[in-house]
Amino acid sequence: MRRILSAVLSLLLVAGLAGCGWRPPAATVNGAEITTADLQADLTLMRENPELAAAFQLAVPPEGEPVPSEVTANLLTLRIAEAILGQSYRDSDKKLAAAEEQQQRTAVLQDLTAALGSEALVAKIPQGFLTRLTDRFVHSNALLSDVPDEDFAAVVTDLFGGFEVTVDPRYGTWDPANFEVVPDAPPGVGGTSSELLVEE
């Protein structure tokens, strides 16, 4: 009887989750979720700002066309790297002074303006994304800028290897040797449909 009740409850749970449009996270980093909505937001931003996509060397197709699997994998890799660098920075004793951190953030925005060729294009980018972008630079710079070249690979391996990363198979698998999401389809072959990146 207990086994039957457990099975019924499991079916009800699955039905309830399906009814509310629940989807598994695109990835987790030490249990913290990167949602499908997070991934969709980045894809939408790149579609709406082709100059920004070009700066990230992403060939993002127009709305309605299938999204190449390598584009999705690259965007998800950036999200995972942000999570790892952010947590590592918070746990580190290498935190920057407020003035130095602000200088670095300003420098990143200046570089972005130069890459896009216009302050107006930068102004179109949501502040949340700009904060993530500057965070990623500040955190990586603080953690790694003083590492000697001969030790760099080992330090990065220790840093990224200390995190448990899982990836939804729809988007590929996590490569623990190169610290990137690897799509199941070879580059340029097949693709992840944009419908898979929309929360229902």
Side-chain angles (χ1 to χ4, degrees), residues 49 51 106 109-125 130:
N49 298 272
E51 297 87 357
T106 299
L109 294 178
Q110 290 173 342
D111 289 345
L112 181 61
T113 301
L116 299 185
S118 167
E119 291 185 1
L121 291 176
V122 176
K124 289 172 52 182
I125 300 172
L130 293 177

Side-chain angles (χ1 to χ4, degrees), residues 61-170:
E63 185 70 37
E65 293 187 11
V67 182
S69 55
E70 59 266 28
V71 170
T72 309
N74 287 341
L75 288 172
L76 190 52
T77 296
L78 288 174
R79 281 274 185 176
I80 292 170
E82 285 172 10
I84 290 174
L85 291 168
Q87 187 59 58
S88 297
Y89 183 74
R90 288 188 289 273
D91 294 342
S92 172
D93 58 0
K94 291 185 172 183
K95 295 182 179 65
L96 302 176
E100 183 179 0
E101 181 173 324
Q102 186 55 50
Q103 286 177 347
Q104 292 195 13
R105 291 182 184 278
T106 299
V108 173
L109 294 178
Q110 290 173 342
D111 289 345
L112 181 61
T113 301
L116 299 185
S118 167
E119 291 185 1
L121 291 176
V122 176
K124 289 172 52 182
I125 300 172
Q127 185 58 50
F129 183 86
L130 293 177
T131 298
R132 287 170 47 208
L133 180 64
T134 54
D135 278 352
R136 191 162 68 238
F137 179 85
V138 168
H139 296 161
S140 61
N141 195 47
L143 292 167
L144 300 170
S145 63
D146 61 348
V147 176
D149 290 346
E150 62 271 20
D151 298 332
F152 192 83
V155 170
V156 170
T157 297
D158 287 343
L159 177 66
F160 278 73
F163 287 80
E164 182 180 353
V165 177
T166 64
V167 172
D168 188 316
R170 290 178 297 166

Side-chain angles (χ1 to χ4, degrees), residues 3 6 23 42 48 51 69 90 99 115 166 170 196:
R3 196 176 305 169
S6 177
R23 285 191 171 185
D42 284 352
E48 294 174 350
E51 297 87 357
S69 55
R90 288 188 289 273
T166 64
R170 290 178 297 166
L196 290 180

